[in-house]
Amino acid sequence: MHAVRSIRIDAPAAQVFGYLTEVGRHPEWAGNPLTICLTSSEPLRVGSTWESTGRRLGTHLDRVTVVELDPERRFAYEAEGDAGHWRSTFTLRADGDATVLHREMRSLRLTWFTRALAPMILLTNGFELAGNLRKIKSCVEKRP
C-alpha cells in the first residue's frame, strides 16, 4: 500500500524539519492517539529508535528506526509492529519563504490483519496523510 500527499507551510525548511524531527511531538499531528518512548539517546540520527504505541482498532506497539536524516531536506523512519512494516518519508523543498512538505507512506510488509483490512486502509490512508499534514502546518505556523 502506498499514499502520498503534499502541503505548503508558511515557514522555512529549518523550522519544519526541526518540528518533524522532535519525535516526542508526533502525537500532536498523528491521526490516532499515540504515545512515544525514545529508546536511544539524542540527538536524532540515522539508527535512532523509539517505540510508538497507537490506539486504533486495538492497541499496537511499533518499534521505529530513523533510516534517513538529511537536514532541511529529508526525514524517513520505518515502523515495525503487529500491523506490519511501514516506511514514512518526509521530503522538504524551499518555496520562497515557505516550505513544501511531501509525505509518503508505504507498506513494506503487511500482516494478515492489515491485508484483511487493506480495502479500508487504502480508502482512508490518503485522507489521514492529508489530515496529518494540515496538523503539522498548523503546529509549525503557530510556533514563534
Side-chain angles (χ1 to χ4, degrees), residues 7 9-26 29 42-46 48 50 66-77 88-94 97-102 133 136-137 139-141 143:
I7 198 165
I9 299 174
D10 292 322
Q15 185 177 345
V16 176
F17 188 83
Y19 179 75
L20 289 173
T21 56
E22 286 183 60
V23 296
R25 299 189 78 162
H26 284 197
W29 54 264
E42 296 189 81
L44 198 66
R45 61 189 172 281
V46 171
S48 291
W50 66 90
V66 175
V67 294
E68 289 185 60
L69 191 67
D70 184 2
E72 299 179 33
R73 291 192 186 113
R74 196 167 167 94
F75 172 49
Y77 54 85
S88 288
T89 304
F90 296 88
T91 305
L92 296 82
R93 180 180 51 81
D97 292 337
T99 303
V100 174
L101 178 61
H102 176 83
L133 290 173
I136 291 168
K137 175 181 173 70
C139 289
V140 170
E141 289 179 353
R143 290 179 87 182

Side-chain angles (χ1 to χ4, degrees), residues 111-133:
T111 63
W112 67 269
F113 179 73
T114 48
R115 278 194 303 273
L117 294 176
M120 182 183 76
I121 293 169
L122 285 169
L123 284 173
T124 61
N125 257 3
F127 293 113
E128 183 173 329
L129 285 185
N132 295 160
L133 290 173

